């Protein structure tokens, strides 16, 4: 496989108790690409992202990360942790430990590589702390380093989650509706940060979003799922109302016709 590939998915299928969630999904994402994952609620976006980081096992098919098999035919790579450390996950809910400080939250991103004792005692090396501070500066919240995570706004918390991915050394960011819980201004700032990291550090980004305007503003490429199958993979400028109707189905037709395509979920 060419060394320019970050994520490759071949014929990935998954059913939950007989109900199909992913239907022979195929695509390739090159290193440094930024791809929006779109589709109606229940179309399989979260399920697909969870297969890419090995949290779900497919019934059939293969997921490659940087040319290495992460999972194939329902089996995980034996060194899954090593592969997972290259993948940073950002969720809709910020997934921080509220009672810990911002910097502690960033440091526990390293847990996979720390001994259990050190992680329980929260003992981190000076080098790790410097790395965490650099990441917090990069995401623009250095001044909040020693506040409890719960004191931060949603947008700030999402930036802590991003700093944690940076400290982890992730080369791929998987973001599942990263801005869905944010006000429009915070959402824009978080998207701009993600774009900046993509452009400056070549981090490959796959993000599920339901605001079509955001998809058009920040992404060149979109992959759309409908009922677990890829039904569009192309340039976001091709996402006209007809395409959106096909992607989101009958429920969306009215919204699009009324000019409210941006409200689609
Ligand atoms: P989306 O993120 O696009 O809203 P999901 O990936 O959450 O869609 O869900 C896709 C389909 O898979 C849905 O029908 C959902 O009910 C089902 N599903 C997802 N996760 C599970 C699970 N852990 N157990 C059973 N069904 C699931
Ligand atoms: Mg989802």
């Amino acid at each position: 496989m060419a060394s320019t590939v970050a994520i490759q998915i071949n014929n990935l299928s998954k059913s939950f108790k007989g109900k199909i969630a992913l239907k022979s999904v195929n695509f390739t994402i090159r290193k440094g690409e930024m791809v929006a994952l779109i589709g109606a609620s229940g179309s399989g976006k979260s399920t697909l992202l969870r297969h890419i980081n090995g949290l779900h096992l497919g019934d059939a098919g293969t997921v490659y990360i940087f040319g290495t098999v992460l999972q194939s035919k329902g089996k995980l790579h034996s060194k899954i942790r090593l592969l997972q450390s290259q993948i940073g996950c950002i969720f809709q809910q910020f997934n921080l430990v509220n009672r810990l400080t911002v910097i502690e939250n960033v440091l526990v991103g390293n847990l996979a590589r720390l001994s259990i004792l050190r992680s329980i005692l929260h003992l981190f090396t000076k080098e790790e702390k410097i790395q965490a501070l650099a990441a917090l500066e990069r995401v623009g919240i250095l001044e909040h380093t020693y506040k409890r995570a719960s004191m931060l706004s949603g947008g700030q918390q999402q930036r802590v989650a991003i700093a944690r991915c940076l400290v982890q050394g992730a080369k791929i960011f998987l973001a599942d509706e990263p801005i869905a819980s944010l006000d429009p201004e915070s959402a824009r700032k978080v998207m701009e940060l993600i774009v900046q990291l993509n452009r400056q550090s070549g981090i490959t980004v796959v993000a599920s979003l339901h605001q079509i305007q955001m998809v058009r503003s920040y992404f060149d490429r979109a992959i759309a799922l409908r009922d677990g199958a890829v039904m569009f993979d192309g340039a976001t400028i091709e996402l006209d109302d007809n395409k959106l109707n096909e992607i989101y189905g009958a429920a969306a037709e009215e919204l699009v016709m009324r000019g409210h395509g941006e409200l689609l979920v």
Side-chain angles (χ1 to χ4, degrees):
M1 191 184 301
S3 61
T4 54
V5 176
I7 302 167
Q8 183 168 339
I9 300 199
N10 288 354
N11 297 315
L12 183 67
S13 293
K14 176 73 173 179
S15 294
F16 292 108
K17 293 180 192 135
K19 188 180 179 306
I20 293 173
L22 294 177
K23 219 181 279 177
S24 199
V25 170
N26 287 283
F27 58 78
T28 299
I29 294 176
R30 292 183 306 282
K31 285 182 192 169
E33 259 194 290
M34 183 146 161
V35 179
L37 188 58
I38 61 175
S41 186
S43 60
K45 303 180 296 295
S46 298
T47 302
L48 177 57
L49 291 172
R50 292 171 72 83
H51 279 79
I52 301 175
N53 65 16
L55 291 177
H56 277 330
L57 278 177
D59 300 328
T62 307
V63 175
Y64 300 87
I65 299 296
F66 298 124
T68 301
V69 174
L70 180 132
Q71 63 164 292
S72 190
K73 295 179 189 160
K75 279 211 171 115
L76 285 175
H77 189 283
S78 60
K79 295 198 173 120
I80 183 70
R81 291 255 170 187
L82 215 58
L83 287 176
Q84 282 171 334
S85 71
Q86 301 180 73
I87 304 169
C89 297
I90 300 157
F91 302 98
Q92 176 177 352
Q93 289 310 325
F94 317 116
N95 281 91
L96 303 182
V97 184
N98 276 330
R99 66 190 159 76
L100 295 183
T101 62
V102 165
I103 190 168
E104 283 168 332
N105 268 283
V106 173
L107 285 163
V108 292
N110 262 328
L111 277 186
R113 296 204 299 268
L114 294 174
S115 76
I116 290 170
L117 186 64
R118 283 181 66 214
S119 55
I120 290 171
L121 296 175
H122 297 298
L123 295 176
F124 301 101
T125 65
K126 192 173 172 194
E127 194 181 299
E128 284 164 344
K129 286 179 190 162
I130 289 170
Q131 224 188 343
L133 290 170
L136 287 170
E137 182 167 32
R138 191 132 190 236
V139 303
I141 48 170
L142 190 58
E143 71 214 79
H144 303 300
T145 300
Y146 298 105
K147 288 188 186 158
R148 281 180 182 229
S150 55
M151 302 301 288
L152 270 54
S153 70
Q156 290 166 335
Q157 292 198 38
Q158 205 57 309
R159 286 189 270 161
V160 176
I162 292 169
R164 196 167 52 182
C165 295
L166 290 173
V167 164
Q168 179 192 324
K171 303 287 183 289
I172 294 172
F173 283 6
L174 301 179
D176 197 357
E177 307 211 11
I179 56 171
S181 303
L182 304 180
D183 61 86
E185 176 64 7
S186 304
R188 194 183 55 74
K189 283 188 187 158
V190 165
M191 279 317 303
E192 278 168 11
L193 173 63
I194 292 173
V195 169
Q196 191 188 353
L197 295 171
N198 167 258
R199 299 227 174 109
Q200 291 179 353
S201 302
I203 288 169
T204 306
V205 177
V206 186
S208 70
L209 290 194
H210 63 248
Q211 301 94 326
I212 286 300
Q213 295 307 343
M214 287 288 196
V215 171
R216 289 196 177 113
S217 304
Y218 295 106
F219 297 81
D220 293 330
R221 176 181 174 192
I223 294 174
L225 293 177
R226 183 168 173 174
D227 299 329
V230 174
M231 64 89 59
F232 174 86
D233 181 355
T236 50
I237 46 168
E238 290 169 31
L239 290 170
D240 55 18
D241 286 354
N242 281 338
K243 268 278 174 283
L244 291 173
N245 268 339
E246 281 177 46
I247 293 165
Y248 289 96
E253 256 165 55
E254 208 189 311
L255 277 176
V256 172
M257 280 190 326
R258 295 193 339 233
H260 295 303
E262 77 282 3
L263 296 177
L264 296 172
V265 287

